Amino acid sequence: MKWPLPFRKERATIQSVDAKDHAERLLAESLRMLGQVCAKVADAIEAQRLERQGYAHNTYLERLDRPRPGDEKKPE
C-alpha cells in the first residue's frame, strides 16, 4: 500500500507562490527599465528638435530678457 506524502500539496503551493512572486518582481523591473528607455528616447527626440531649431548640443540657452553687459543704452 502506498501512503500519501505529507505536506506535498503545501510544497507545490509554496513553489507556485514563489513563481508568482518572481514573475511580479520581473514585471516590475521590466516596467522600470521601459520607463528609463522611454525617458532616454524622449531626451533624444527633444535634443534633435532643439538642434533643428539652431541650438547646439551641450550649450546653454541665453536669456534675452536681460541686457547684455556691452549693450547698455546711451544717455540722451
Side-chain angles (χ1 to χ4, degrees), residues 5 11-12 16 20 25 37 41 48 51 53 65 68:
L5 295 174
R11 286 184 193 156
S16 69
K20 184 178 178 182
R25 266 192 263 147
V37 168
V41 169
Q48 277 184 340
E51 194 173 323
Q53 290 182 355
D65 59 346
R68 294 183 190 167

Side-chain angles (χ1 to χ4, degrees), residues 4-57:
L5 295 174
F7 307 113
R8 183 177 184 146
K9 199 173 200 180
E10 289 180 16
R11 286 184 193 156
T13 304
I14 290 172
Q15 288 174 351
S16 69
V17 169
D18 287 341
K20 184 178 178 182
D21 184 57
H22 179 70
E24 288 174 347
R25 266 192 263 147
L26 185 62
L27 179 63
E29 283 298 315
S30 298
L31 290 173
R32 284 188 190 102
M33 186 70 69
L34 181 62
Q36 291 175 354
V37 168
C38 289
K40 291 200 182 282
V41 169
D43 290 343
I45 291 170
E46 186 73 10
Q48 277 184 340
R49 184 185 67 81
L50 289 173
E51 194 173 323
R52 277 195 308 267
Q53 290 182 355
Y55 297 106
H57 186 64

